[in-house]
Amino acid sequence: MKMKSKKFLAFVACLLLYANVSYSQWKIYISNDVCMDNSWCLSETRNREYAIDLMAANLDAMRETDSEPWQNRARYTCTVTNEIFYFLEKYPQRRDELIDRIRNGQIMLSPFLVNTNWGFSGVEGFLRSMYPARRFASEYGLPLRHAVHSELPGLPWDIVPLLSGSGITWINKPFLNFDASFNRLKNPPLFILYGPDSSMIKVAMDAQASLRYGYVQATDILKKGSDSESDSSDIQNFWLSHYGNLQAYPLKVVLAEGTHGDMSSRSAAEVGSITHRIIDFNKHAGKSVTLVNASFPMFADLVDSAELMKPFLPVLKGSFGHTWELWPVGLAKYAAALRLSEYRLVEAEALFAAANINFRTNEKLQSMDRRAEWLLAMFQDHAWNGCDSINKETNKNIRKRYADELVPLIDSMVYEGFKANGLQPDPNTVTLFNPANHKRSSLIEISLQDSSKQNVTIWKGERQLPSQLIVRGKTTSLCFISDSLPGYDFDSYNLRAGKVIPREGAAKLKAVLNKTENSIDIVNSASLERKASIQLQYRSGKSFIARMQIPEIISDGPVATVYRIKGKLPLTDFTLEMIFNKTDGNIDFNILIDKAASYSEEALSLICALPVKSLLHVETTSSVVSPYLAPKGDFLDGADTSRVVMQSFVNAQFPGRGGLILSSSEAFCLNPSDTAIVVELLGNNQNYKEAVKDQGGVIHFEYHFAVSMYDGPYSQVRSQNFGFLKQMPLLISYGRPSEKTGPRVRVLTPGIRVTVYKPADPVFGDGTVLRLWNTSPSNETITIRTDGYKKAWLTDLLEQNIKPLIINDDIVSVSMIANGFAGIRLLP
């Protein structure tokens, strides 16, 4: 009876609220916030100081207005979690005050550590940017359901499954239409965006308000003075007219996001002015509108109440694409460091999980993991540019400092991971670890510690494996094909003196110089049919195709044929090395580039020309898209189709049957085309006005690619597996690990990608955590063998327990929707 009464009262409350927002006087919710890019036009020190002062000013304003009517009480929307953390570092004595204001809804806690280039990182990079906020919310029992992502024009499809799977229900997306094509947007200001897995998030993104006022929409309302006739006229002519004329918009409530613009020395002082202008505006009788000093969740909750009574939010499905996410190509070395570090962090954590590490008791490894996570998240802030030459240098140096710390830190984590698994040094034993859930064999290349030993061979027990030496100047490496290795398992091989096993057959493909087109053609060795062509292009005003030398075979044996091709472009010398695998027919190629600094607008790109016009499929952060406008592709009206961030692969699907898959570890800037795969390796042409012009002084670059050609129909699972495994190669270390005695994990269902296998975060619980991505376009029941584990929980994507799962005969099962994500916690 009591439960029914509560439901009835809630229904009545919703009804009254709906009636109020639908038919009463207009209200404009002024969402008070600042856009805090990390060190845009500021030093890091100033950025921190101004954020602290701003939070203090907002708390002071809240105290001063506690006795005011509800619409006049000061409120604040955090757009990045660092605003909270910086403040508490200086004012720990105000912690309870701050927590109370968050708990009662006057301050919104942001899930994002920084203002991220959120389509640039992979799944784990994106999720790690929300871990600090989730820990803080869990520690104090605070809500974390709403997000504001300010300024960056983009709304990738990718973020929907990750935000929704992390408990975020609303995203507010005011943007600046700079270096973007968002002036063509046709979306309504409020809508539900469905992800590729049919997950959903509610979105506030008023394109007309953003095109007119950017991400400082509330500033326009407040800037002219509270009793100004022109102010009221502007409100009527744009805001009330704009929303009043919308069809199927039942509310008489408007959201105006953004009061401060970018963080500056003025931000804290602006708080009092904002607060008092709202109060003064509301004092004047006869106005047709009330201003509400609001946080974004207040508006979102109001819309939720109206939607509950009578659903009205339109539904969109598709991607708004990428824009500023491509800016890191202007500091390509550090962008590559970020991408590689994300993969390496996952690899290190898999080693920890294989060793049954508990972060709760191993403070050293937990501290290393937390630091790597923080650096990875900070790296993603979208200020890869600068407002002047000094600020460009500042932001370049920040990226360099992060890379200089993060790369060796994760190398140390990998070392500690092998050591935790009992690896004992042995110069004649090589151990491999598979950091992915897929069983596989791979082409392995190990650097020989003593390059004078030209007769060394590889053995598995008493069985000699085919191998060959590759000599590059003063370095010598040994190349072989490993035995099939299950996920998260180890295998060891011995180095012995011996005779190389003779070559068995030639590679199915070979590299040929095409002098007419200045390309390296990949041709069928028997028929000489051209399968694809590789070119390098330099653009600065006009385009130049590289001049290449005839391919030189530097190693040919039972495992692979290795070609070296040298070439030149303006200001550029490069070496292209192509490795044709004789076992699976795939091609790995590396590009070493020496590029002189230039301050002209420029770009250097890899072009993989296709034999026929093809349809592209590209893995972005947590989805696979066809980067064309709908209905041909997955991009919505207004999206930029000229560039997209590529994660692990791009698949060129030929008409009829067959195609080509290309993967890269470092390169990410894809310029879609139906006649070639065009990947910009480095350049300053993405936002040339504000970009670092000379790659930060870096002149040496290295890129790794892999190509697989296939017959038959397009397969998303095959493409995902190829790209993912190329980015997560087998880890190699000299020595032999101890026998594995702890719990083991095997994902038995094909098409499932484990984005992370790691020790649980001790703030959220114990055990081992897996995050799963169903890369299949169909619903699946996932089965996992859990030898040694006794309990299991289904979790969200930030390790929050949802419900217990049953383990029967060491098998746990969970249902996953097509293209969807899930988390699992396993306990011994």
Side-chain angles (χ1 to χ4, degrees):
M1 191 68 184
K2 190 175 292 184
M3 182 62 70
K4 289 182 179 180
S5 298
K6 287 183 179 180
K7 289 183 178 179
F8 177 74
L9 291 174
F11 175 79
V12 172
C14 288
L15 184 64
L16 292 173
L17 180 58
Y18 179 68
N20 179 54
V21 300
S22 299
Y23 304 112
S24 67
Q25 182 188 53
W26 279 94
K27 294 180 176 62
I28 299 180
Y29 276 43
I30 303 293
S31 187
N32 183 8
D33 71 18
V34 67
C35 181
M36 201 179 84
D37 305 336
N38 189 46
S39 301
W40 167 256
C41 292
L42 298 170
S43 68
E44 290 176 282
T45 300
R46 290 296 186 195
N47 198 72
R48 182 184 296 260
E49 288 174 353
Y50 296 160
I52 293 169
D53 293 343
L54 177 60
M55 184 60 70
N58 275 292
L59 285 173
D60 293 343
M62 290 171 196
R63 278 205 307 263
E64 293 169 6
T65 58
D66 276 342
S67 60
E68 287 283 336
W70 74 274
Q71 65 269 25
N72 293 341
R73 294 173 195 161
R75 298 177 179 91
Y76 184 65
T77 296
C78 276
T79 59
V80 302
T81 327
N82 267 338
E83 296 181 73
I84 301 289
F85 296 153
Y86 292 160
F87 178 79
L88 290 177
E89 285 176 10
K90 183 171 183 178
Y91 294 113
Q93 70 274 19
R94 299 188 72 173
R95 179 181 295 268
D96 290 345
E97 177 188 3
L98 177 65
I99 297 299
D100 287 344
R101 296 296 184 180
I102 297 173
R103 188 171 284 121
N104 71 23
Q106 285 185 270
I107 295 177
M108 187 199 88
L109 174 65
S110 169
F112 306 124
L113 186 68
V114 293
N115 203 356
T116 58
N117 263 333
W118 58 4
F120 175 50
S121 66
V123 169
E124 287 305 312
F126 184 91
L127 292 175
R128 301 311 170 90
S129 74
M130 295 193 285
Y131 260 66
R134 176 55 73 190
R135 290 191 196 102
F136 187 79
S138 296
E139 184 177 357
Y140 295 101
L142 301 174
L144 192 62
R145 301 188 304 274
H146 304 86
V148 175
H149 195 278
S150 185
E151 189 179 9
L152 186 154
L155 188 60
W157 217 12
D158 329 333
I159 59 99
V160 180
L162 300 185
L163 288 178
S164 177
S166 300
I168 308 301
T169 58
W170 270 96
I171 180 75
N172 184 10
K173 194 72 196 72
F175 62 84
L176 177 66
N177 190 45
F178 170 75
D179 188 32
S181 61
F182 271 26
N183 59 307
R184 301 194 298 268
L185 287 179
K186 299 178 182 178
N187 63 284
L190 296 176
F191 57 93
I192 296 171
L193 183 61
Y194 273 83
D197 62 341
S198 297
S199 61
M200 56 165 279
I201 192 165
K202 296 170 186 173
V203 181
M205 188 172 82
D206 189 334
Q208 286 189 308
S210 292
L211 291 171
R212 184 161 176 164
Y213 303 117
Y215 54 99
V216 285
Q217 297 158 20
T219 300
D220 177 75
I221 294 170
L222 299 173
K223 68 183 178 182
K224 295 179 181 177
S226 59
D227 58 352
S228 167
E229 289 297 326
S230 61
D231 185 44
S232 298
S233 175
D234 283 356
I235 290 173
Q236 182 64 50
N237 290 342
F238 177 75
W239 291 97
L240 304 191
S241 175
H242 166 42
Y243 278 88
N245 290 329
L246 289 175
Q247 294 182 350
Y249 188 86
L251 311 179
K252 298 193 77 173
V253 180
V254 173
L255 174 69
E257 176 70 40
T259 48
H260 294 282
D262 295 333
M263 179 67 76
S264 74
S265 59
R266 305 182 305 274
S267 297
E270 290 169 346
V271 173
S273 174
I274 291 166
T275 304
H276 290 294
R277 284 185 178 184
I278 292 173
I279 292 172
D280 291 344
F281 186 98
N282 290 333
K283 282 181 180 178
H284 292 79
K287 294 205 173 182
S288 60
V289 63
T290 297
L291 301 186
V292 179
N293 195 327
S295 64
F296 173 61
M298 287 177 59
F299 178 78
D301 290 347
L302 185 150
V303 175
D304 283 340
S305 298
E307 179 78 359
L308 180 64
M309 296 300 301
K310 184 179 179 181
F312 71 96
L313 293 176
V315 172
L316 299 181
K317 189 170 185 178
S319 181
F320 288 84
H322 300 138
T323 53
W324 300 2
E325 292 94 336
L326 284 302
W327 288 0
V329 79
L331 289 169
K333 177 180 177 179
Y334 306 123
L338 170 57
R339 286 170 64 87
L340 292 171
S341 293
E342 182 179 335
Y343 316 142
R344 291 279 285 171
L345 176 61
V346 172
E347 291 171 340
E349 290 174 335
L351 279 167
F352 294 166
N356 202 28
I357 295 294
N358 185 337
F359 278 159
R360 192 182 299 280
T361 57
N362 195 319
E363 294 183 3
K364 174 185 175 180
L365 294 186
Q366 182 197 120
S367 176
M368 295 173 75
D369 193 73
R370 290 271 178 91
R371 182 63 180 171
E373 171 198 278
W374 184 88
L375 288 165
L376 199 66
M378 292 296 293
F379 230 140
Q380 298 174 49
D381 186 275
H382 74 233
W384 288 70
N385 55 336
C387 62
D388 55 35
S389 59
I390 295 175
N391 190 231
K392 291 172 189 176
E393 188 72 9
T394 294
N395 284 325
K396 179 265 289 186
N397 287 335
I398 289 172
R399 267 69 191 180
K400 181 180 186 302
R401 193 178 75 243
Y402 288 162
D404 288 347
E405 181 181 358
L406 182 59
V407 172
L409 172 61
I410 296 181
D411 286 344
S412 296
M413 292 173 65
V414 171
Y415 170 80
E416 293 289 342
F418 271 111
K419 191 168 73 171
N421 282 281
L423 192 76
Q424 299 297 319
D426 181 349
N428 294 314
T429 301
V430 173
T431 290
L432 308 180
F433 174 71
N434 185 354
N437 59 295
H438 297 271
K439 185 177 182 179
R440 55 173 162 162
S441 64
S442 294
L443 188 151
I444 302 297
E445 186 175 339
I446 57 173
S447 178
L448 295 180
Q449 297 175 339
D450 185 354
S451 59
S452 65
K453 294 182 178 179
Q454 299 292 308
N455 63 341
V456 68
T457 56
I458 196 83
W459 293 73
K460 180 69 181 295
E462 296 304 313
R463 176 170 55 93
Q464 183 182 354
L465 276 66
S467 63
Q468 67 190 74
L469 295 175
I470 303 176
V471 180
R472 302 179 182 89
K474 295 182 180 180
T475 65
T476 302
S477 59
L478 183 67
C479 189
F480 68 98
I481 302 294
S482 69
D483 288 346
S484 187
L485 181 60
Y488 312 121
D489 213 343
F490 297 86
D491 205 359
S492 295
Y493 299 83
N494 296 320
L495 298 177
R496 300 183 193 173
K499 294 182 179 180
V500 174
I501 298 176
R503 182 175 65 178
E504 297 177 1
K508 297 177 182 178
L509 301 171
K510 65 179 181 178
V512 176
L513 175 64
N514 185 327
K515 294 182 179 180
T516 303
E517 298 180 9
N518 287 325
S519 65
I520 297 298
D521 290 350
I522 300 170
V523 303
N524 183 293
S525 297
S527 66
L528 299 184
E529 175 190 5
R530 183 165 68 171
K531 296 292 187 179
S533 297
I534 301 296
Q535 297 175 325
L536 286 176
Q537 178 193 70
Y538 176 81
R539 299 192 312 277
S540 181
K542 58 181 180 179
S543 296
F544 302 86
I545 297 297
R547 299 191 306 275
M548 299 195 200
Q549 297 177 3
I550 295 174
E552 169 195 5
I553 295 178
I554 63 170
S555 181
D556 192 15
V559 175
T561 301
V562 184
Y563 294 90
R564 178 189 292 140
I565 305 107
K566 292 184 178 293
K568 289 183 177 294
L569 280 164
L571 306 174
T572 306
D573 293 328
F574 66 87
T575 300
L576 172 63
E577 183 178 283
M578 308 187 77
I579 303 175
F580 288 74
N581 189 319
K582 293 182 179 179
T583 301
D584 59 18
N586 293 335
I587 306 165
D588 293 280
F589 60 94
N590 311 322
I591 308 173
L592 300 176
I593 295 172
D594 291 323
K595 166 71 174 62
S598 171
Y599 296 87
S600 301
E601 185 171 354
E602 63 178 2
L604 196 156
S605 300
L606 169 82
I607 300 176
C608 180
L610 303 169
V612 290
K613 287 188 175 182
S614 306
L615 178 68
L616 296 187
H617 306 271
V618 184
E619 183 197 324
T620 54
T621 298
S622 64
S623 63
V624 176
V625 301
S626 292
Y628 315 93
L629 291 179
K632 178 181 179 181
D634 298 308
F635 281 18
L636 298 171
D637 284 344
D640 185 348
T641 60
S642 67
R643 53 186 175 175
V644 62
V645 175
M646 174 180 71
Q647 292 298 335
S648 76
F649 78 88
V650 55
N651 182 310
Q653 178 188 358
F654 302 156
R657 299 172 70 82
L660 180 149
I661 310 169
L662 181 140
S663 176
S664 177
S665 301
E666 301 89 357
F668 61 90
C669 181
L670 179 71
N671 301 127
S673 165
D674 59 4
T675 59
I677 296 175
V678 182
V679 182
E680 185 174 333
L681 304 178
L682 58 94
N684 56 25
N685 61 329
Q686 309 288 331
N687 183 20
Y688 177 71
K689 178 182 178 181
E690 298 173 342
V692 175
K693 300 294 188 289
D694 65 344
Q695 288 293 321
V698 176
I699 61 174
H700 302 297
F701 303 88
E702 183 172 358
Y703 298 90
H704 299 82
F705 289 87
V707 171
S708 177
M709 300 173 190
Y710 65 91
D711 296 317
Y714 164 75
S715 168
Q716 183 167 298
V717 171
R718 171 172 50 200
S719 302
Q720 284 267 26
N721 288 350
F722 177 77
F724 172 56
L725 295 180
K726 286 298 181 181
Q727 289 186 332
M728 297 286 289
L730 300 181
L731 294 181
I732 306 169
S733 184
Y734 277 94
R736 183 184 298 277
S738 61
E739 281 296 318
K740 171 97 171 151
T741 57
R744 305 173 73 93
V745 170
R746 295 278 186 272
V747 180
L748 304 179
T749 308
I752 302 303
R753 174 168 161 180
V754 178
T755 68
V756 78
Y757 169 53
K758 65 183 283 289
D761 190 297
V763 172
F764 308 140
D766 291 318
T768 301
V769 168
L770 297 95
R771 277 190 281 271
L772 311 176
W773 183 359
N774 178 14
T775 64
S776 167
S778 60
N779 297 340
E780 300 284 354
T781 298
I782 310 307
T783 57
I784 304 172
R785 179 170 293 282
T786 60
D787 298 347
Y789 290 103
K790 305 301 181 185
K791 296 180 182 179
W793 283 80
L794 182 69
T795 73
D796 72 4
L797 298 185
L798 295 183
E799 301 189 32
Q800 308 300 296
N801 288 348
I802 297 174
K803 66 178 182 179
L805 299 172
I806 297 172
I807 298 179
N808 281 325
D809 296 328
D810 293 328
I811 295 291
V812 62
S813 299
V814 61
S815 296
M816 293 186 67
I817 59 176
N819 305 308
F821 288 81
I824 294 178
R825 181 190 305 278
L826 298 172
L827 297 158

